[in-house]
Amino acid sequence: MSAHCQLTGARPGFGNRISHSHRRTPRRFDPNIQRKRYWLPSEGRYVRLTLSARAIRTVDTIGVEAAVARVRARGAKV
């Protein structure tokens, strides 16, 4: 599963791991991605979304219908 959020578009950030001796090696900062299932009343079915933890809180605030509309506006198939 690729580490990106369907709602917010959060993707991995890149940087350096810095050791005690201050040597730098590449690393990734992955977002906290989780697969979550929501009931979509307008279509009478469940939808499974790949969301970051922040996006899960956003869905709780704006509702699942508005969140699915935003995901579809980004071009993702739901």
Side-chain angles (χ1 to χ4, degrees):
M1 174 173 66
S2 63
H4 77 277
C5 176
Q6 289 181 310
L7 183 61
T8 63
R11 290 186 179 272
F14 294 90
N16 289 309
R17 181 175 284 112
I18 302 180
S19 70
H20 180 70
S21 64
H22 219 65
R23 289 179 60 101
R24 294 159 188 252
T25 54
R27 63 157 296 181
R28 278 171 55 140
F29 294 92
D30 286 326
N32 185 5
I33 297 295
Q34 300 172 16
R35 287 181 54 86
K36 189 133 170 69
R37 195 174 80 144
Y38 289 101
W39 174 253
L40 194 59
S42 64
E43 297 182 14
R45 68 183 182 102
Y46 285 98
V47 293
R48 190 176 299 273
L49 300 174
T50 304
L51 302 172
S52 63
R54 180 183 196 129
I56 290 173
R57 293 196 305 268
T58 302
V59 171
D60 292 342
T61 303
I62 66 173
V64 68
E65 297 285 346
V68 168
R70 286 187 191 181
V71 169
R72 287 182 174 148
R74 291 178 57 84
K77 184 180 177 186
V78 178

